[in-house]
Amino acid sequence: MRTRTRKATQALVRGSVALLLAGTISLLQGCDSSTGGGSSNAGTTSAGGTTGAAGHVNGGTTSAPGGTTSAPGGTTSAPGGTTSAPGGTTSAPGGATSAPGGTTSETGGATSAPGGKTSLGGNTTTTGGKTSSGGVTIQGGVTSSGGVTISGGDTTPTGGNTTVAPPTTGHYQMENLDRGTVAVKVTGGVYVGWRMLGYEYTGTDSDTSYNLYRDGTLLKNVTDSTNYLDAAGTGTSKYTVSAVLKGKEGDQSAPVTAWTQQYTSIGITPPAGSYSASDGSVGDLDGDGKLDIVLKWDPSDSHDNAQSGVTSNVYIDGYTLAGKLLWRINLGPNIRAGAHYTQMSVGDFDGDGKAELAVKTAPGTKDGTGAYLSKGPAASDDDSAVYRNGTGYILTGPEYVTVFAGDTGKELDTVNYPVPRGTVTDWGDGYGNRVDRFNGGMAFVKDKAGVATGKPAIIQGRGYYTRLTVSSLTYQNGVLAQNWVFDGDAAGNSKANGGGDHSEMAADTDNDGGQEIITGATTIDSSGTFKCSSGQGHGDAMHIGELVVGKGISVFTVHETVGGGDCHDGATCTMYFNKTGGGDNGRGAADYVGVGNETAASCSSSHTGNLNCGTGATVTPNAGSNFLIYWDDDEWRELESGTSITKVGGGTLLSCSDCGSNNSTKSTPTLTADLLGDWREELVLRQSNNAALKVFTTTTVTKRRIYTLMHDPTYRAQVAFENSAYNQPPHVGFHIGVGMASPPVPNIFIVK
């Protein structure tokens, strides 16, 4: 192999781009079919949570029920939408006619205030009891130092201004997050929210309270929540928060002033050409205690694996929440653009206090400094080579995994992709569709010796229709290395094959301190061995959490080949219910969303209806078919689809008129995660012209107090998988709902 000539390090692209895109990329994310077509799932969630039927594309056009006929070119029109123009365009329910060239027009219906501001309403406080519901037991926990228990009141508690040190012992490695204080000017004052860190929670409510200061003066000792409405607050008020643990007050957080609207805007710059901001992931990239955004840019000529065609390059940016561009990575011409190719694994894999990005790369990839890859097998490759064939597929040439530094985007190490493509036909077709179906994220799996270390590992999966593989890699002491590889073609693993979805998630299903990788119908043990399979084959959507109260981790997944859907035990694959028939079931969601599902979540989909996850009995609450988000003042989860948040039975809680959703008919956000404030989640949407990301936060005061969800190991891992293929929302590892037990004390340690 000849050695290439190195180019000088190229400057990071920071310049403005004259063309600001007016719409979303139309990425037809179809399921595979033997004829090379895909299925486009047009079952968009309405404000009430109902789901339209899924369409199925077989090499061309789909029109969903209730929608007008779509134009040629792989176009889908969702129920109630107006006619879409040629070029792969999708029109969402109630939306106006969409423009040509892959543009999506967003959901209409709910009225939003000028400038994309939000309308709130329909919030009823639920005062559910404290009955223990059982569930997964998490061992250990952090004991706070001694002192006098705080009983409430507005005076400063006794005790010195001692800092509560983050624990250095525990099982699961977590980020050293700051207080995450956020303030928003609202009618009636200023809303203020802040994090309860996982190690500040002891299981006894009276152990922990928080001092809220306005302009340096103690405003309130808050004993029952992690948010407050300051009726006397103004737009110039400055707020700080300190934790008080058993009478000892810690340091005050950095001061914040109020946002003037319910979101903060992060300015972004598209790459040259026709690009839209797409999926996001999250991590503390620069080690300052604040979570940052990793953003993928998709070109307008991206393609589903089932579709031929040459694509433009994929770019990945690192942004702080304050809007600073840290770096831009160019994956180059040998990484195809589309929802199934680039899955971002983001986490602090080496424990240095800064997150890294791991992703599939190839010759021609440039890191965040502008340099071609130069580590491991990339040291002697040919960066001028273009390996794609005449149909746009890339079926020859080197394949890598590279770890990039979170603060600079610089290449840290590169290895060969752990499962090579081999012979394309081994994956189930002869043209390159199934061989390049990837998933990826981060999980706390076991090491080579079978020990659950509690340290995060890079997870990359390849294949799921037939041959199914999942790989675990570690990055420690500057070295990227293979941990374990699960291969459905290996001896004893054949039941796993065909049991993968267009996503993966992680959860500790057997309480041994290592997280299993759940691919849909298949559970792979945290040691990389086969655990169980439901036998129901491939599906499009999955939700994983304590979906049946007291039963530990359950899996809800919809079925493509056999139709219908099921909910099964994550550790044994024992069915709670299983319904088949009705054809390809393209969408589904599961969670506790309203009255009637206190003992088990609602498992909702277009083909099976709304079912009790534990019994399969028909129930009223509808979890919709898309994303879910914790948003208002009760323990129910709300529905997120397109650019709106709705509440079952309560109307629209938020709608952004100048925002766009991603991934065509999937209508998914860039990201949902607990990024700021209290335990409820933030919603990250791209502005329709791709000039900014908007980070929305709740302003509804709640008395429910839970530590930041990012210190729950299940939730933290699932946020890392959220961007993978057909994006799925994260779930916690315990029950949140009316009558919930006190959350388990997280057994975590903090890296500095």
Side-chain angles (χ1 to χ4, degrees):
M1 180 179 294
R2 68 183 179 87
T3 303
R4 68 182 178 200
T5 301
R6 294 286 165 187
K7 294 184 179 181
T9 301
Q10 299 180 0
L12 182 66
V13 179
R14 297 181 184 271
S16 298
V17 178
L19 177 62
L20 295 177
L21 303 179
T24 64
I25 307 169
S26 178
L27 297 176
L28 179 60
Q29 296 192 77
C31 281
D32 171 75
S33 73
S34 59
T35 59
S39 69
S40 178
N41 306 305
T44 305
T45 307
S46 68
T50 57
T51 306
H56 189 82
V57 173
N58 189 7
T61 303
T62 301
S63 179
T68 56
T69 303
S70 57
T75 304
T76 303
S77 177
T82 57
T83 304
S84 58
T89 304
T90 302
S91 177
T97 302
S98 56
T103 304
T104 301
S105 98
E106 304 304 330
T107 306
T111 302
S112 61
K117 295 184 181 179
T118 60
S119 301
L120 301 175
N123 298 328
T124 304
T125 302
T126 304
T127 58
K130 293 288 186 179
T131 305
S132 176
S133 61
V136 180
T137 301
I138 297 181
Q139 301 290 330
V142 179
T143 303
S144 300
S145 57
V148 180
T149 301
I150 298 300
S151 60
D154 295 336
T155 59
T156 304
T158 59
N161 188 32
T162 55
T163 300
V164 179
T168 57
T169 59
H171 183 64
Y172 291 102
Q173 175 189 306
M174 292 289 150
E175 286 109 334
N176 189 18
L177 299 177
D178 66 8
R179 188 60 60 196
T181 309
V182 62
V184 183
K185 185 69 180 73
V186 297
T187 302
V190 174
Y191 168 88
V192 188
W194 59 90
R195 290 188 183 109
M196 170 186 271
L197 300 168
Y199 55 87
E200 294 172 342
Y201 173 70
T202 67
T204 301
D205 288 343
S206 60
D207 282 352
T208 309
S209 66
Y210 294 90
N211 282 344
L212 175 62
Y213 295 84
R214 185 214 303 138
D215 298 327
T217 301
L218 182 65
L219 178 64
K220 179 76 174 178
N221 175 240
V222 182
T223 62
D224 59 354
S225 70
T226 48
N227 57 180
Y228 186 76
L229 179 62
D230 178 15
T234 69
T236 60
S237 300
K238 293 184 178 180
Y239 295 91
T240 59
V241 178
S242 61
V244 183
L245 300 184
K246 294 187 176 181
K248 300 290 186 179
E249 183 179 13
D251 292 339
Q252 293 182 36
S253 61
V256 299
T257 54
W259 300 352
T260 58
Q261 63 279 316
Q262 202 173 348
Y263 63 86
T264 186
S265 186
I266 301 172
I268 57 177
T269 302
S274 179
Y275 281 84
S276 287
S278 186
D279 301 333
S281 194
V282 63
D284 183 0
L285 298 177
D286 53 9
D288 64 355
K290 304 178 190 302
L291 292 168
D292 306 301
I293 303 292
V294 179
L295 177 68
K296 183 178 76 166
W297 289 96
D298 270 338
S300 58
D301 58 4
S302 64
H303 287 294
D304 183 85
N305 296 54
Q307 301 169 333
S308 62
V310 174
T311 73
S312 301
N313 293 2
V314 175
Y315 295 85
I316 302 176
D317 288 355
Y319 287 95
T320 69
L321 286 183
K324 179 182 179 181
L325 174 63
L326 298 174
W327 41 262
R328 170 166 289 172
I329 292 167
N330 179 354
L331 293 182
N334 295 310
I335 296 293
R336 201 167 186 243
H340 299 289
Y341 294 100
T342 296
Q343 321 303 351
M344 301 178 291
S345 297
V346 179
D348 183 4
F349 300 114
D350 61 357
D352 68 348
K354 298 178 182 180
E356 292 81 38
L357 163 69
V359 70
K360 186 174 184 284
T361 57
T365 297
K366 295 180 181 179
D367 72 7
T369 72
Y372 287 114
L373 303 182
S374 62
K375 307 288 186 181
S380 57
D381 64 10
D382 181 1
D383 287 312
S384 66
V386 177
Y387 293 97
R388 60 176 174 250
N389 61 25
T391 61
Y393 289 101
I394 302 165
L395 304 179
T396 61
E399 300 178 285
Y400 310 138
V401 174
T402 299
V403 175
F404 300 92
D407 52 355
T408 65
K410 181 180 176 61
E411 177 196 13
L412 296 174
D413 202 7
T414 296
V415 298
N416 286 316
Y417 197 82
V419 179
R421 63 172 71 89
T423 303
V424 173
T425 54
D426 290 345
W427 301 87
D429 62 49
Y431 67 100
N433 175 7
R434 297 182 176 189
V435 65
D436 277 354
R437 297 281 180 157
F438 296 98
N439 280 307
M442 175 269 285
F444 302 94
V445 298
K446 293 177 181 174
D447 64 13
K448 289 181 178 179
V451 176
T453 64
K455 296 180 180 179
I458 298 159
I459 304 297
Q460 290 284 306
R462 181 175 214 157
Y464 39 77
Y465 286 112
T466 51
R467 182 184 178 190
L468 182 151
T469 74
V470 174
S471 303
S472 167
L473 301 96
T474 59
Y475 177 67
Q476 296 287 330
N477 301 314
V479 177
L480 178 61
Q482 180 177 301
N483 183 26
W484 51 252
V485 173
F486 174 88
D487 191 339
D489 278 359
N493 293 341
S494 61
K495 290 183 179 180
N497 280 338
D501 287 1
H502 293 294
S503 57
E504 289 176 355
M505 284 293 178
D508 183 0
T509 66
D510 53 12
N511 300 312
D512 66 353
Q515 291 182 334
E516 277 65 54
I517 306 301
I518 300 168
T519 67
T522 298
T523 298
I524 298 169
D525 191 78
S526 56
S527 60
T529 59
F530 176 73
K531 196 169 184 68
C532 66
S533 174
S534 70
Q536 298 306 295
H538 165 71
D540 279 11
M542 70 167 77
H543 290 252
I544 297 167
E546 190 174 335
L547 303 179
V548 184
V549 177
K551 296 292 187 180
I553 297 297
S554 302
V555 179
F556 170 64
T557 183
V558 298
H559 306 150
E560 178 173 326
T561 305
V562 298
D566 74 77
C567 184
H568 62 264
D569 183 275
T572 66
C573 295
T574 301
M575 293 290 187
Y576 294 124
F577 81 81
N578 183 31
K579 290 184 178 291
T580 59
D584 179 359
N585 190 1
R587 304 295 290 275
D591 216 327
Y592 302 84
V593 295
V595 176
N597 61 349
E598 288 87 351
T599 62
S602 287
C603 284
S604 302
S605 75
S606 56
H607 286 194
T608 59
N610 311 314
L611 306 178
N612 180 292
C613 291
T615 65
T618 300
V619 292
T620 299
N622 186 340
S625 64
N626 205 352
F627 263 55
L628 300 156
I629 190 167
Y630 292 112
W631 192 257
D632 64 6
D633 58 345
D634 57 33
E635 294 96 342
W636 303 126
R637 216 166 184 191
E638 281 64 61
L639 315 182
E640 195 286 329
S641 186
T643 61
S644 298
I645 297 173
T646 59
K647 185 175 180 65
V648 172
T652 300
L653 302 181
L654 181 146
S655 181
C656 180
S657 62
D658 66 344
C659 294
S661 60
N662 299 327
N663 299 312
S664 187
T665 59
K666 302 305 179 186
S667 297
T668 53
T670 292
L671 182 69
T672 59
D674 181 10
L675 302 176
L676 294 166
D678 67 4
W679 60 276
R680 292 167 298 173
E681 297 168 291
E682 277 62 49
L683 171 63
V684 183
L685 297 171
R686 65 178 184 84
Q687 200 163 286
S688 297
N689 62 5
N690 295 297
L693 295 178
K694 290 187 174 183
V695 182
F696 291 87
T697 193
T698 185
T699 57
T700 304
V701 174
T702 181
K703 293 298 183 181
R704 165 56 65 189
R705 189 173 73 165
I706 301 174
Y707 52 85
T708 175
L709 303 187
M710 295 295 276
H711 278 174
D712 171 62
T714 303
Y715 184 87
R716 182 65 191 91
Q718 292 197 15
V719 166
F721 276 98
E722 185 178 338
N723 75 92
S724 187
Y726 286 3
N727 309 45
Q728 302 290 291
H731 293 259
V732 296
F734 54 93
H735 169 228
I736 296 180
V738 172
M740 63 181 285
S742 295
V745 175
N747 186 7
I748 62 176
F749 71 96
I750 304 299
V751 296
K752 297 182 180 180

